[in-house]
Amino acid sequence: MRKLLCLFAGLLALGVGGSAAGGGGPFALVGGSASGGIPLAGSGPRGITVRFVDHGTFYVGVTVRNTSTKTLTIVSARTPERAGSIVRLASARLIPTTPCNSHGGDLLCLPWDPRAPPSSHSLAVKPGASAAIKLNYRLGTCAEAKTASFATGRELQLSFETPGGSIQEQSFPLAGAKLELQKPAGVECLTRPFSHIGLVGSFTTSPGHLPIPGSDGDTCTREPGGGLSFQSRYFQDRSEIEFRIAIDLPRFHGAGSYVRRGVVTVYGGFGAGPFTVFHDPKAPVTVTEAARSTVTGTFSAVLSGHRTFFRAYGTWRCAILPS
């Protein structure tokens, strides 16, 4: 992973895969960008897709290069957001790019690499050198999403100081680094309870661990024929492996015991490839409360396979989705 980060950072800094832009000023915006955070749903030439997550946070990283013959000091960077927008620029951090290895070279470590140097509020950039800009964003609340604008800024504004002490500005079109905000589709702002789920064995976590912020789940769907299907939010084990559980009750009859009649599925990033799936087709499942719009219960499932053995257990709670 670190090698891939270094390689990607090096391509950004060298301009591979994109063109430099800068509107005739001394800085050039190197083609390409990086991003991270739970709300992100993908990126492409048109921009970075951001799904709505209540209070969600994420970042976008871009790189600029000093194409002049003088050392220039970047004092601020911002992407002006429109009035009433659901997204806010919380901060912009300036980080010098450095070689990823002790022998130097062209590969650079950028701020999303753990080995990147500390960020600063201003940054001197020598001629031909590059600087990374990490733009940290925060989304608003579900209440704000009802009336807020989902339009976003389309340019990066850079303020810098020249050797003579004057402050100048330069703007860049964000192109593939601009934000494409998605409005809530429904479940993001649905009032849902929280399940408390733990693992013990090959993978270990605690029912006290909170789910990953912004993840969907903790919802139930009524199936044709009288069944009930539950899906939890995403959780993480102590190695930061993401997982969630699903419970299928083919013949749901309300509160009571479903011993050997519930199917528990656990799936997550347990392997090197796509999500790994584990089944316990006869797990003991209990429904302790069954209201019109919510269901609460407990379960204990034993999962094995792929050279692993563990138990999933805890309390599951869900909001019943409309049919």
Side-chain angles (χ1 to χ4, degrees):
M1 179 60 72
R2 288 185 175 181
K3 291 182 179 179
L4 292 177
L5 285 169
C6 289
L7 176 59
F8 182 57
L11 294 178
L12 288 177
L14 294 173
V16 177
S19 60
F27 285 97
L29 182 65
V30 178
S33 63
S35 55
I38 290 173
L40 300 186
S43 62
R46 298 183 58 184
I48 299 170
T49 302
V50 183
R51 65 187 180 91
F52 179 78
V53 173
D54 186 86
H55 281 117
T57 59
F58 62 97
Y59 75 83
V60 175
V62 297
T63 309
V64 296
R65 184 170 57 242
N66 182 1
T67 62
S68 74
T69 59
K70 300 177 181 179
T71 297
L72 304 173
T73 300
I74 303 175
V75 295
S76 69
R78 58 193 176 277
T79 54
E81 301 304 327
R82 302 186 184 185
S85 176
I86 194 65
V87 70
R88 304 171 182 85
L89 179 65
S91 65
R93 309 301 293 170
L94 309 172
I95 301 95
T97 57
T98 58
C100 271
N101 56 68
S102 59
H103 302 292
D106 293 327
L107 297 183
L108 303 178
C109 286
L110 298 187
W112 33 96
D113 190 313
R115 295 164 294 169
S119 56
S120 59
H121 295 287
S122 64
L123 181 63
V125 186
K126 295 180 179 180
S130 298
I133 301 173
K134 189 176 184 182
L135 303 163
N136 299 301
Y137 294 94
R138 178 180 295 277
L139 294 168
T141 65
C142 283
E144 293 171 332
K146 297 178 181 179
T147 58
S149 168
F150 280 74
T152 65
R154 288 295 184 262
E155 66 177 17
L156 170 68
Q157 292 183 356
L158 208 63
S159 295
F160 60 93
E161 183 178 359
T162 67
S166 65
I167 301 296
Q168 299 182 17
E169 290 193 350
Q170 186 177 353
S171 298
F172 311 85
L174 284 171
K178 69 179 180 290
L179 307 180
E180 299 292 339
L181 302 179
Q182 295 181 337
K183 294 184 178 181
V187 69
E188 297 92 340
C189 292
L190 177 69
T191 300
R192 292 171 289 157
F194 285 91
S195 298
H196 294 275
I197 295 168
L199 305 180
V200 62
S202 299
F203 312 104
T204 303
T205 182
S206 165
H209 289 181
L210 294 177
I212 297 173
S215 61
D216 58 0
D218 284 333
T219 54
C220 286
T221 304
R222 293 190 179 276
E223 303 294 342
L228 185 77
S229 293
F230 163 79
Q231 180 172 260
S232 76
R233 287 175 166 94
Y234 276 106
F235 293 83
Q236 284 184 333
D237 77 348
R238 293 177 181 176
S239 301
E240 297 186 352
I241 293 174
E242 294 185 7
F243 72 93
R244 76 187 332 164
I245 74 156
I247 298 175
D248 291 304
L249 301 177
R251 298 179 182 178
F252 179 66
H253 53 71
S257 175
Y258 292 80
V259 176
R260 303 180 68 83
R261 286 184 291 171
V263 179
V264 174
T265 302
V266 179
Y267 52 101
F270 299 113
F275 274 10
T276 305
V277 180
F278 299 88
H279 294 286
D280 184 343
K282 297 181 179 180
V285 178
T286 300
V287 175
T288 55
E289 294 183 45
R292 177 176 298 180
S293 58
T294 59
V295 176
T296 300
T298 61
F299 78 103
S300 178
V302 176
L303 297 310
S304 63
H306 307 283
R307 298 182 180 181
T308 59
F309 180 87
F310 64 101
R311 184 170 69 93
Y313 65 101
T315 300
W316 58 281
R317 301 183 177 94
C318 68
I320 299 177
L321 297 176
S323 301

